[in-house]
């Protein structure tokens, strides 16, 4: 029952937040993602992280691409990295939605890997970091 509840929570978060996020204007990274050119989006998001490594947005976007490419372990590492970066809640009204999607992606990863203790831990962390 607990696994089922975690999957429902994860799906609800992803449905609510979406698995894609807006990126800063001027790049082709989001265009690639919208065209389902995941390799192009991956390259563009990696390039977007270089000039501002402390910005969680391109890291979050890259985690989404990695997850959709079935590189789930890399996606989970990127999710954790994005969540560990300083939150820009006051500067960006979408940051809470993005953080919720990152938590949802992490929970989904752990549930799919049958690592239910870690999934529960991420869920608890998501509730305390609101």
């Amino acid at each position: 029952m607990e696994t089922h509840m975690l999957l429902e929570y994860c799906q609800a978060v992803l449905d609510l937040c979406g698995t894609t996020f807006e990126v800063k204007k001027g790049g082709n990274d989001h265009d690639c993602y919208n065209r389902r050119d995941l390799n192009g989006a991956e390259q563009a998001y990696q390039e977007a992280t270089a000039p501002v490594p402390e910005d969680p947005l391109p890291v979050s976007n890259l985690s989404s691409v990695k997850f959709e490419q079935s590189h789930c372990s890399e996606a989970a590492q990127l999710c954790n990295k994005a969540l560990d970066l300083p939150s820009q809640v006051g500067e960006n009204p979408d940051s809470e939605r993005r953080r919720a999607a990152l938590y949802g992606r992490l929970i989904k990863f752990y549930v799919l890997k049958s690592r239910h203790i870690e999934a529960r831990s991420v869920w608890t962390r998501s509730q305390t970091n609101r």
Side-chain angles (χ1 to χ4, degrees), residues 79-93:
C79 284
N80 279 315
K81 179 180 177 179
L83 288 167
D84 289 342
L85 290 170
S87 178
Q88 300 172 349
V89 174
E91 299 172 25
N92 190 336

Side-chain angles (χ1 to χ4, degrees), residues 1-121:
M1 181 69 165
E2 186 171 298
T3 300
H4 180 68
M5 289 172 50
L6 285 171
L7 278 173
E8 284 182 6
Y9 170 77
C10 177
Q11 191 58 53
V13 168
L14 292 174
D15 289 346
L16 177 66
C17 301
T19 57
T20 63
F21 306 114
E22 293 300 319
V23 296
K24 294 177 180 171
K25 302 289 182 203
N28 69 347
D29 40 11
H30 200 56
D31 292 337
C32 290
Y33 192 93
N34 285 337
R35 288 191 321 265
R36 308 307 302 152
D37 175 9
L38 296 179
N39 291 331
E42 176 186 7
Q43 181 179 353
Y45 290 143
Q46 285 175 337
E47 290 171 6
T49 61
V52 282
E54 70 282 353
D55 185 354
L57 180 58
V59 177
S60 173
N61 288 335
L62 185 56
S63 77
S64 181
V65 170
K66 289 293 190 178
F67 197 83
E68 290 191 39
Q69 291 174 322
S70 298
H71 300 144
C72 296
S73 294
E74 289 178 71
Q77 290 172 346
L78 290 164
C79 284
N80 279 315
K81 179 180 177 179
L83 288 167
D84 289 342
L85 290 170
S87 178
Q88 300 172 349
V89 174
E91 299 172 25
N92 190 336
D94 288 335
S95 63
E96 285 303 313
R97 178 181 62 84
R98 289 187 193 111
R99 290 180 69 76
L102 285 165
Y103 283 123
R105 197 172 299 127
L106 267 176
I107 291 168
K108 188 172 187 178
F109 165 73
Y110 287 127
V111 169
L112 291 173
K113 295 291 185 180
S114 297
R115 294 169 57 185
H116 303 119
I117 293 171
E118 289 99 331
R120 180 73 169 171
S121 175

